[in-house]
Amino acid sequence: MTFQDIFKSSFLENVDSVSIVDMALAMILAFGIGLFIFLIYKKTFSGVMYSSSFGVTLVALTMITTLVILAVTSNIVLSLGMVGALSIVRFRTAIKEPLDIAFLFWAIAEGIVLAAGMIPLAVFGGVFIGLILLVFVNKKSHITPYIVVLSCTGQESEGKALDFLKKQVNRCIVKSKTVQRSMVEVTAEIRLKSEDTEFINALSAMDGVHSAVLVSYNGDYMG
């Protein structure tokens, strides 16, 4: 057995299955599109804690997907083996924001389409999806749901405070109510008429109102 016989396998035959030009072009475009997805994610983020590592993950995921699909499309046998290898992988990281799932699938889809050679579709689809997200995610602040927490000294002051609040906002729905011996706490979901929040100051200054708190939230309410 000679040295050449040892390495006589399909491994070396696949070395030039993808050209250097194709690899460089695909990876550069994947980086550019992944960076665009990262910027859109940063621009449209509306959660509580921004995670820069998730943004970097979107760039890496686009490039990794492109790399995998390039290998799969160049060899049918390799594609079957890779499907079997990836089937045992389990991702257990919890996704807290539903929109983050869309960004993950967006990055994966861009990598697949780009590696398949459909560069115009990848570029046009990426730009189109990015514009849609910018329009629908970055809504005006007065449309964003808010939570008002009122602490009142009794039922009479509670009624006056809620009546005043309903006149100042477009929508007011009581979510919860906690009654103690000398204190009533009401939690209500509201929609503002404008970005002006001066009514909270007037609300807290009413007789019988101990405190009034205005908090923005993402629509997930447990109660």
Side-chain angles (χ1 to χ4, degrees):
M1 180 178 291
T2 63
F3 182 80
Q4 185 177 2
D5 293 334
I6 296 176
F7 291 94
K8 188 177 181 181
S9 64
S10 60
F11 174 76
L12 294 180
E13 296 176 358
N14 294 326
V15 172
D16 57 350
S17 59
V18 181
S19 66
I20 300 297
V21 176
D22 292 340
M23 287 188 290
L25 180 61
M27 296 308 293
I28 292 174
L29 288 175
F31 174 76
I33 294 178
L35 185 61
F36 175 74
I37 296 175
F38 166 71
L39 294 176
I40 295 296
Y41 171 75
K42 187 176 181 180
K43 187 71 175 178
T44 58
F45 180 77
S46 59
V48 179
M49 295 295 292
Y50 172 74
S51 175
S52 59
S53 62
F54 183 81
V56 177
T57 301
L58 295 175
V59 181
L61 188 60
T62 307
M63 299 180 68
I64 293 171
T65 305
T66 301
L67 183 66
V68 172
I69 299 302
L70 279 176
V72 169
T73 54
S74 64
N75 192 314
I76 301 299
V77 177
L78 178 62
S79 65
L80 298 176
M82 190 169 295
V83 169
L86 294 177
S87 64
I88 64 175
V89 179
R90 295 293 183 270
F91 299 97
R92 300 186 181 276
T93 302
I95 303 297
K96 298 181 180 180
E97 295 290 337
L99 191 59
D100 291 351
I101 301 177
F103 278 98
L104 289 174
F105 276 101
W106 183 16
I108 295 173
E110 287 291 340
I112 294 174
V113 174
L114 186 60
M118 304 176 185
I119 297 177
L121 177 60
V123 174
F124 175 78
V127 173
F128 184 76
I129 294 174
L131 293 176
I132 292 297
L133 290 175
L134 286 175
V135 171
F136 285 94
V137 177
N138 290 340
K139 297 183 296 185
K140 295 182 180 180
S141 60
H142 66 271
I143 302 179
T144 304
Y146 284 83
I147 285 291
V148 174
V149 182
L150 293 174
S151 296
C152 307
T153 56
Q155 183 176 359
E156 182 179 355
S157 58
E158 172 200 351
K160 292 181 180 179
L162 288 177
D163 290 339
F164 174 79
L165 182 61
K166 291 177 181 179
K167 295 178 181 179
Q168 302 298 320
V169 299
N170 285 330
R171 182 183 180 187
C172 179
I173 301 176
V174 176
K175 289 292 186 177
S176 67
K177 179 178 180 180
T178 303
V179 180
Q180 300 177 354
R181 290 185 177 180
S182 59
M183 186 68 63
V184 177
E185 184 177 279
V186 179
T187 302
E189 176 187 337
I190 65 171
R191 296 293 194 280
L192 302 181
K193 293 181 178 179
S194 64
E195 297 181 5
D196 185 17
T197 58
E198 188 67 25
F199 67 93
I200 291 295
N201 298 340
L203 189 62
S204 62
M206 294 180 62
D207 294 335
V209 177
H210 184 266
S211 65
V213 180
L214 179 66
V215 181
S216 174
Y217 84 116
N218 60 0
D220 297 330
Y221 181 81
M222 299 298 293

